[in-house]
Amino acid sequence: MGHLVFRVDNYASNVRNEVLLMDAAGQLLLTLRRKRWSFRKRWQAYRGDPVESDKPKFSLAKSLGFSNKTTASVFVYVSKQIKYCDYQIEGSLCKSLCTILNKAGEIIAQIKQKEAKCDIMLGNDVLSLVIDAGVDQAFVMGLLIMFNQIG
């Protein structure tokens, strides 16, 4: 039996505008907010509970293009400036396949439909997430939540 690692909540907030990522004990890890008045669908992530002066730690923007799959670019903030696109996300959580690539094009995390080890039928909503060692798990979960929101 598995153990709870993260909780996703939206207490007293509009589901479309803010999502909270917490650890199993209920400690707030990331606050994810939809950026208003953005040409592309963009979400921003803040560590913990942000105050007005806080700058986001990273953001995700839906890539422009005409493709069967959704793609998004991830920008990590350094000081007051945005670095170049550091990560790319491709796929669709609705279709149970999503890949996160670093700027070198290497897969750092992948979500796909879980395969049963015996003759048990698993539903389309039973997924498996594999994250490379050394990659911040809360960061990856934040990206997947934001990616699902822009879908």
Side-chain angles (χ1 to χ4, degrees), residues 14-145:
N14 186 337
V15 174
R16 295 183 183 111
N17 294 326
E18 184 175 89
V19 179
L20 307 175
L21 178 66
M22 298 180 217
D23 66 12
Q27 180 179 346
L28 182 59
L29 301 174
L30 294 173
T31 299
L32 311 171
R33 290 187 178 156
R34 184 174 66 89
K35 183 171 170 77
R36 296 182 197 180
W37 316 115
S38 176
F39 177 64
R40 301 190 298 177
K41 292 181 181 178
R42 180 181 292 271
W43 279 72
Q44 296 177 315
Y46 302 83
R47 289 274 177 205
D49 190 12
V51 293
E52 290 298 318
S53 63
D54 282 351
K55 299 289 183 200
K57 298 299 178 193
F58 58 92
S59 68
L60 179 140
K62 185 174 185 175
S63 298
L64 300 175
F66 302 100
S67 172
N68 296 13
K69 60 185 174 183
T70 303
T71 61
S73 300
V74 178
F75 302 90
V76 177
Y77 291 76
V78 176
S79 301
K80 295 180 181 178
Q81 298 181 353
I82 299 175
K83 289 172 61 175
Y84 293 104
C85 176
D86 290 310
Y87 301 92
Q88 197 75 19
I89 304 177
E90 301 173 343
S92 169
L93 292 177
C94 297
K95 294 183 179 172
S96 306
L97 180 62
C98 182
T99 304
I100 301 175
L101 307 158
N102 63 17
K103 62 182 167 185
E106 302 164 329
I107 296 173
I108 64 159
Q110 189 170 41
I111 194 168
K112 56 186 172 182
Q113 190 165 4
K114 187 170 186 170
E115 297 175 14
K117 296 193 189 252
C118 53
D119 293 336
I120 299 173
M121 295 292 292
L122 298 176
N124 290 339
D125 60 346
V126 180
L127 306 175
S128 174
L129 173 61
V130 177
I131 303 173
D132 278 359
V135 177
D136 182 354
Q137 295 174 359
F139 171 70
V140 170
M141 285 302 298
L143 292 179
L144 291 172
I145 293 165

